[in-house]
């Protein structure tokens, strides 16, 4: 974490203005989006350490329990520090008066150290980087044990690598999200990013590393289907997120083209259609958003399902992530739709008429 925080301070980044924050009297904040540079620097550093035997990456899986314990302690400790610092320095916002609720949901909205936004740092730099390295460690461990890396374990390295790379290259889109301009920085977010995401979403890798590759090997057609499903769902996830975020930034007049690898075709919607609400917001009805109200959720869940499938069907443990994620997405979707219905009224009814499907066009 210290290395990632150091990189966040020193690496060059793309300066992105966020959305007006209602709880800050519609003030906009600037974000130094350097996650991609930090990600590449981390890859190079870890390769050098591994190559010269200074730190073997396979050691992450070997010491998984100890590393997880430290992350849990960090999650609790940082949550307490973040809460009490906000309370004591007067930056706590929208407090209920119930300690447990406020501690869970958070006290500060945008805690910062210098130019580093800690909430965005926690969402991008910690969980997905840790998760990728746990999966990469599993591949190194398998190579040490058997002399090769199976297609299934390599799949998890690719899947988690695509995910962290998507988060890093599209970091300028994150300030446009609900998490950044409304959700506070509390135990729910901090602990889950430090100890939840990296140490539970990696179950498929841990399951496979502790078993012979032949026990979960797929035929060629199965491998092709698995990898193809991942790439298609990742493409839809990546481009749908980009379409909506760029649409919001264009409306605010803060969108500038940024090169970051890979830039998939279809990430922009040209001449977008939308519903102008009486509230003042515009609801996008073009691109992927013409076919479903949450196309990013559907694609994201399909990705998670492939993570479970890649470990075979010998246990339910690798399917923890897709099952848990489905519950989260359904709940979040219902919450979002209720809020939008109350906020936009008849405009939301018109939007639902134009885009009747929630997740998958023609299905649901």
């Amino acid at each position: 974490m210290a290395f990632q925080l150091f990189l966040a301070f020193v690496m060059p980044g793309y300066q992105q203005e966020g959305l007006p924050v209602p709880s800050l009297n519609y003030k906009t904040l600037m974000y130094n989006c350097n996650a991609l540079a930090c990600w590449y620097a981390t890859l190079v550093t870890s390769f050098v350490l591994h190559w010269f035997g200074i730190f073997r990456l396979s050691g992450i899986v070997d010491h998984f329990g100890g590393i997880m314990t430290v992350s849990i302690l960090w999650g609790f400790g940082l949550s307490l520090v973040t809460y009490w610092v906000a309370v004591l320095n007067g930056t706590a916002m929208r407090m209920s008066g119930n300690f447990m609720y406020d501690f869970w949901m958070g006290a500060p909205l945008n805690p910062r150290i210098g130019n580093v936004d800690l909430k965005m740092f926690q969402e991008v730099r910690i969980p997905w980087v840790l998760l990728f390295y746990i999966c990469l460690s599993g591949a190194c461990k398998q190579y040490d044990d058997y002399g090769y890396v199976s297609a299934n374990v390599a799949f998890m390295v690719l899947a988690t690598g695509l995910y962290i790379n998507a988060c890093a290259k599209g970091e300028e889109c994150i300030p446009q999200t609900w998490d950044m301009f409304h959700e506070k920085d509390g135990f729910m977010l901090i602990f889950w990013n430090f100890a939840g995401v990296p140490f539970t979403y990696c179950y498929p890798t841990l399951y496979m590393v502790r078993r012979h590759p032949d026990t979960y090997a797929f035929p060629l057609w199965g491998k092709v289907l698995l990898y193809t499903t991942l790439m298609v769902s990742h493409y839809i996830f990546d481009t749908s997120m980009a379409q909506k975020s760029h649409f919001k930034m264009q409306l605010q007049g803060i969108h500038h083209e940024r090169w970051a690898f890979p830039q998939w075709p279809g990430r922009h919607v040209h001449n977008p259609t939308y519903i102008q609400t009486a509230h003042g917001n515009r609801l996008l009805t073009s691109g992927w958003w013409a076919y479903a109200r949450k196309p990013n959720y559907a694609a994201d869940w399909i990705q998670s399902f492939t993570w479970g499938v890649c470990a075979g069907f010998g246990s339910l443990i690798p399917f923890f992530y897709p099952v848990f994620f489905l519950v989260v997405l359904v709940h979040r979707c219902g919450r979002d739709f209720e809020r939008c219905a109350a906020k936009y009224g008849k405009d939301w009814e018109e939007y639902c008429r134009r885009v009747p499907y929630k997740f998958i066009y023609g299905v649901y």
Side-chain angles (χ1 to χ4, degrees):
M1 188 189 80
F3 180 63
Q4 290 300 314
L5 188 59
F6 168 75
L7 291 177
F9 277 113
V10 302
M11 297 299 287
Y14 180 86
Q15 301 301 310
Q16 178 63 55
E17 185 179 4
L19 290 175
V21 182
S23 56
L24 296 179
N25 295 320
Y26 294 92
K27 175 185 176 181
T28 59
L29 300 173
M30 293 301 298
Y31 295 84
N32 183 35
C33 301
N34 61 0
L36 194 63
C38 297
W39 165 235
Y40 291 156
T42 303
L43 287 175
V44 172
T45 302
S46 62
F47 174 80
V48 172
L49 294 175
H50 178 81
W51 183 263
F52 289 100
I54 300 172
F55 178 77
R56 298 287 297 175
L57 291 175
S58 55
I60 298 175
V61 165
D62 290 335
H63 299 91
F64 180 83
I67 296 172
M68 180 178 66
T69 301
V70 171
S71 292
I72 290 173
L73 294 175
W74 265 104
F76 275 104
L78 191 59
S79 297
L80 286 168
V81 171
T82 302
Y83 176 85
W84 285 114
V85 167
V87 170
L88 294 175
N89 68 12
T91 57
M93 305 188 70
R94 305 195 310 267
M95 303 293 277
S96 70
N98 183 309
F99 171 77
M100 292 305 298
Y101 178 83
D102 290 333
F103 177 69
W104 177 272
M105 297 303 296
L109 180 63
N110 299 101
R112 294 189 167 208
I113 299 178
N115 66 340
V116 176
D117 186 278
L118 294 179
K119 190 165 63 172
M120 193 158 78
F121 172 81
Q122 294 155 11
E123 289 196 0
V124 180
R125 318 300 176 88
I126 301 299
W128 303 110
V129 172
L130 269 175
L131 178 61
F132 170 78
Y133 275 103
I134 291 171
C135 295
L136 182 60
S137 175
C140 293
K141 175 69 173 175
Q142 190 175 72
Y143 184 84
D144 291 344
D145 291 344
Y146 301 104
Y148 68 96
V149 178
S150 67
N152 304 62
V153 170
F155 174 88
M156 282 300 295
V157 176
L158 172 64
T160 53
L162 284 172
Y163 211 99
I164 175 56
N165 194 78
C167 292
K169 76 182 178 68
E171 189 183 20
E172 79 277 7
C173 299
I174 295 177
Q176 320 305 317
T177 63
W178 175 263
D179 289 358
M180 292 306 300
F181 83 92
H182 182 80
E183 296 285 6
K184 295 186 290 182
D185 193 23
F187 178 82
M188 179 179 68
L189 187 151
I190 296 171
F191 184 85
W192 187 242
N193 283 327
F194 273 81
V197 169
F199 296 99
T200 59
Y201 292 5
C202 66
Y203 286 168
T205 297
L206 297 181
Y207 177 84
M208 291 187 288
V209 167
R210 286 163 172 76
R211 287 158 181 80
H212 194 281
D214 291 345
T215 61
Y216 50 80
F218 289 168
L220 179 60
W221 67 266
K223 297 172 185 175
V224 172
L225 178 61
L226 184 67
Y227 276 79
T228 301
T229 303
L230 171 68
M231 295 307 299
V232 171
S233 58
H234 180 77
Y235 170 77
I236 297 174
F237 165 74
D238 192 300
T239 53
S240 63
M241 292 290 287
Q243 286 175 0
K244 191 165 191 178
S245 295
H246 293 161
F247 175 69
K248 289 181 179 179
M249 288 188 281
Q250 287 168 352
L251 293 178
Q252 195 180 346
I254 59 174
H255 177 261
H256 302 282
E257 190 65 26
R258 178 193 180 196
W259 186 93
F261 178 81
Q263 289 295 339
W264 302 111
R267 64 188 183 277
H268 294 297
V269 177
H270 300 287
N271 300 315
T273 59
Y274 53 84
I275 293 176
Q276 177 67 60
T277 68
H279 189 273
N281 293 356
R282 296 176 181 178
L283 305 177
L284 181 63
T285 56
S286 291
W288 294 114
W289 302 88
Y291 302 103
R293 292 176 232 160
K294 295 289 185 181
N296 54 327
Y297 282 11
D300 204 2
W301 184 82
I302 292 172
Q303 286 185 102
S304 74
F305 184 69
T306 64
W307 293 20
V309 170
C310 78
F313 301 94
S315 172
L316 293 177
I317 292 175
F319 289 90
F320 167 82
Y321 174 32
V323 172
F324 168 79
F325 198 35
L326 180 62
V327 174
V328 170
L329 291 180
V330 170
H331 174 265
R332 185 185 296 172
C333 184
R335 182 191 65 180
D336 291 350
F337 290 165
E338 287 179 7
R339 188 178 68 248
C340 289
K343 182 177 180 179
Y344 299 123
K346 292 185 180 299
D347 292 323
W348 180 253
E349 295 175 6
E350 173 60 18
Y351 174 72
C352 292
R353 187 190 67 80
R354 291 196 199 180
V355 187
Y357 295 102
K358 296 179 180 179
F359 292 114
I360 302 176
Y361 179 78
V363 178
Y364 177 70

